[in-house]
Amino acid sequence: MNKSKTSILLFTLSLLLGSLTANAACTGCVYVGPIDDDIDHLATYSAVVRYTTWHTNEYGQSYSRVNFLTLTGTSMAYCQQQLSAVMNSPGTSVVQFCQKD
């Protein structure tokens, strides 16, 4: 396997691991808050991250591709957990922090 395919595979696996850890950290989560927050409980929260992947064409020339990933969650805490997990991957940067949609 060449270097670019290995780096893409490792990056993809790190994103997958990040999402699994974010899901595992929230197993059994129960919404707790004032009754007035019930409307906010139905909201969604999202963040956008940017990451770069490297590719090699058939002539052996390397080039990069910029990708964007939108993370969504049913609470601000869950969105921030996902963002934290994905930011552990190398080469990622935050375009938009978690905010209510």
Side-chain angles (χ1 to χ4, degrees), residues 36-58:
D36 296 337
D37 287 344
D38 282 345
I39 294 172
D40 286 341
H41 182 64
L42 301 175
T44 58
Y45 298 82
S46 64
V48 179
V49 295
R50 173 185 181 251
Y51 64 97
T52 305
T53 54
W54 288 90
H55 306 276
T56 305
N57 65 15
E58 62 272 5

Side-chain angles (χ1 to χ4, degrees), residues 8 11-12 15 48-55 64-70 91-93 95:
I8 292 170
F11 182 76
T12 304
L15 286 177
V48 179
V49 295
R50 173 185 181 251
Y51 64 97
T52 305
T53 54
W54 288 90
H55 306 276
S64 64
R65 180 173 290 155
V66 175
N67 303 293
F68 294 91
L69 175 67
T70 302
T92 58
S93 61
V95 175

Side-chain angles (χ1 to χ4, degrees), residues 18-19 21-23 25-26 44-49 71-88 94 96-100:
S19 69
T21 26
N23 286 336
C26 196
T44 58
Y45 298 82
S46 64
V48 179
V49 295
L71 307 168
T72 58
T74 53
S75 68
M76 178 65 87
Y78 184 53
C79 179
Q80 290 172 339
Q81 281 179 341
Q82 291 183 63
L83 185 59
S84 176
V86 169
M87 289 308 296
N88 289 330
V94 177
Q96 172 190 314
F97 287 95
C98 292
Q99 67 181 17
K100 188 175 178 181

